[in-house]
Amino acid sequence: IGRHALVPFSYTDDIAIVADVCQSFVLDNGAFTVWKKGGKVDVPGYIAWCREWCRHPGFDWALIPDVIDGDEQQNDDLLSAWPDDIEGVPVWHMHESIERLQRLSGTWRTVALGSSGAWASVGTAGWWNRMTDAMKAICDDQGRPTCKLHGLRMLDPDVFRKLPLSSADSTNAAVNSGSLSRFGMYL
């Protein structure tokens, strides 16, 4: 009880066990893997997979397909193609305009924050400067954002403790999940 998971599209076989043992889960389109290794997200396949699981009681939301180093128009086109019957979360990439972040946060219930471009490395001085500008644009004078925020690759306590995130994820947990010394108590 109390377990929450993010299941990437590249590991669809994991969803059955996650749905069985976790209180809730989100689905990830796999854009990070594409960004790192090349290729293309299978958008129709991903939508079909999301449609299969979106009615499960543990389903929270799915990351809407995105192009990490793409332009705003490419990502807005992917948002426009997202089906209304699946709870989706758009990604604002840090190389995109602050105006796009404001538009997304005023339209969507949750927005994911993705490190990209000159701000691809989470936690660097430049990254924090850009994130400060982003938070100033969408938070009130008490630091409350206009929507829920999900931090992509932001599970480092030095990061998530300083931002008004409602959730975060990390590639580190997936990469090291087979390490019994680090994660054995959860397996």
Side-chain angles (χ1 to χ4, degrees), residues 5-180:
L6 180 142
V7 183
F9 186 47
S10 54
Y11 292 97
T12 57
D13 291 345
D14 292 349
I15 188 63
I17 189 71
V18 165
D20 193 39
V21 303
C22 292
Q23 176 180 326
S24 66
F25 59 88
V26 298
L27 303 178
D28 177 16
N29 62 54
F32 181 77
T33 301
V34 169
W35 182 53
K36 287 302 216 186
K37 297 182 179 179
K40 189 175 180 184
V41 173
D42 173 8
V43 174
Y46 177 67
I47 290 172
W49 182 57
C50 291
R51 186 163 275 125
E52 179 182 343
W53 286 99
C54 71
R55 292 181 36 174
H56 186 281
F59 173 82
D60 278 337
W61 44 263
L63 281 168
I64 296 172
D66 61 307
V67 181
I68 294 176
D69 278 335
D71 62 35
E72 293 183 17
Q73 188 60 56
Q74 286 176 294
N75 286 309
D76 284 345
D77 289 346
L78 288 165
L79 292 183
S80 296
W82 186 251
D84 292 336
D85 63 323
I86 301 171
E87 181 74 27
V89 169
V91 178
W92 174 72
H93 305 89
M94 292 177 72
H95 74 276
E96 295 172 340
S97 69
I98 296 291
E99 292 76 24
R100 183 170 191 267
L101 173 61
Q102 291 171 314
R103 181 170 41 87
L104 293 174
S105 68
T107 306
W108 296 84
R109 195 169 80 176
T110 303
V111 172
L113 306 173
S115 303
S116 63
W119 306 281
S121 297
V122 177
T124 62
W127 184 92
W128 277 113
N129 289 336
R130 179 67 170 167
M131 188 58 73
T132 298
D133 292 343
M135 293 303 101
K136 284 180 181 177
I138 62 166
C139 293
D140 66 15
D141 59 356
Q142 294 182 24
R144 298 175 300 200
T146 55
C147 68
K148 290 187 177 201
L149 300 174
H150 176 83
L152 296 165
R153 298 186 300 127
M154 295 183 198
L155 213 49
D156 180 341
D158 290 334
V159 172
F160 73 74
R161 287 182 184 153
K162 297 175 183 171
L163 294 171
L165 303 175
S166 64
S167 58
D169 67 62
S170 171
T171 57
N172 185 47
V175 169
N176 295 301
S177 64
S179 172
L180 288 176

